[in-house]
Amino acid sequence: MFFIATVFNSCGKDGGSEEVGFGEFNTHISLVGKPISIGDSIPAVIGSVAAIEGGYLFYTYVSDYLLLISDDEFNNFRQIIKKGNGPNELSQVSGTFGQELDDKSLLSVFDPNAIALYGFNPETPDSVSLYYEFPDNFRKYIPREVIKIKDGCYVAPREDRVYGMISFDSKTGTIEEWPVGYDFKDSQNPKEDIISKRLVAYCPENGMVAETYGCFPRIILHNEQGRVIKVLTYDNYKERVYSQGMLAECFMDMQMTSNHIWILYGDPHMDNQSRIFIVDYEGNGVAELGISPAHQFAIDRKKRRVIAVNPNEEETGIMVYRIPDSIEI
């Protein structure tokens, strides 16, 4: 078994922060989902999803194309962005795609192999163009996910075996390190924990940036300048390990709205149900939603939907759930 010792530091960026526990939810609802088929003509396994204006984007495995696009009624699935090194092709796509860029007509696609951000217009998705190529001093952090925040500033989880994030200002070329505020120590294998899933999300309505690690039940909230404002800890977490001795993931995905943080909890390899925890920014538990096992999800605010995907399913693995009217989005 692993032993995890957690030490809370001052959280860097000129100040301390408050740590708040959550785990009690007054509302518990099991949602019944509707499976979505992409049709037999598209050989693909769905890995992740993003809600965009008027439709959805899906990352695909086992395909010559990297993304699928559909309207918001899941009609007219279409393969876009071919995998390769030629014109209008990318070598890979990270999980943080579909974000609006400064040019509102363009959606983002980050190629982690090229360390470059690309843009495409969903109305004409056959054409993808280079939007920003990050410099060498950014590449050394080995970013696998990049999201855009205010005024041409980007943040990315560090992948150079150091906890925390980095920010990059494309106007000045300045890089800042955002300390995570925690030291996670593994007494048996000190490098296994640091390669766990890293999640980052941004809420433009309130300027909050959240990060978390799949194996550790904490959400670290930063402001847009990188200062840690609050740390939310799931109090009912119980550490689990696979038969190979690896820590099981607990936080699988995370989304943010103006009032709430939505966390997908439960490892689909070990659990027959996933849960979505909804907490506010003060750490108060709002609701717990039960869904079928899932790896990743998106929130469609206009349609009041959760779209969840599970690439382990024999079918396409897309499930759609109606968000109850009692839940504020």
Side-chain angles (χ1 to χ4, degrees), residues 31-50:
L31 302 183
V32 177
K34 175 184 176 182
I36 300 297
S37 172
I38 62 175
D40 297 332
S41 62
I42 300 177
V45 177
I46 304 300
S48 55
V49 57

Side-chain angles (χ1 to χ4, degrees), residues 110-126:
F110 180 69
D111 185 336
N113 295 328
I115 316 291
L117 191 68
Y118 294 81
F120 73 96
N121 188 323
E123 299 295 327
T124 56
D126 292 326

Side-chain angles (χ1 to χ4, degrees), residues 134-209:
F134 292 90
D136 289 340
N137 59 346
F138 183 80
R139 293 166 180 257
K140 71 177 184 178
Y141 296 96
I142 321 175
R144 308 300 297 173
E145 310 281 347
V146 168
I147 61 172
K148 175 186 170 294
I149 59 173
K150 60 163 190 154
D151 299 330
C153 183
Y154 302 87
V155 294
R158 298 182 64 159
E159 297 285 353
D160 57 344
R161 295 197 176 276
V162 177
Y163 288 108
M165 295 195 295
I166 50 172
S167 71
F168 178 77
D169 189 327
S170 61
K171 295 180 180 179
T172 64
T174 303
I175 289 179
E176 289 190 1
E177 297 182 357
W178 291 12
V180 71
Y182 279 90
D183 291 329
F184 297 115
K185 299 186 185 301
D186 178 344
S187 61
Q188 293 189 23
N189 195 340
K191 291 188 176 180
E192 292 294 354
D193 57 336
I194 209 164
I195 63 174
S196 73
K197 178 183 293 187
R198 297 171 179 228
L199 304 172
V200 59
Y202 171 62
C203 181
E205 291 91 346
N206 59 25
M208 298 293 283
V209 182

Side-chain angles (χ1 to χ4, degrees), residues 211-227:
E211 64 170 317
T212 189
Y213 298 80
C215 292
F216 305 106
R218 291 174 179 83
I219 301 165
I220 299 133
L221 296 175
H222 302 259
N223 63 15
E224 291 174 328
Q225 290 72 45
R227 183 178 183 275

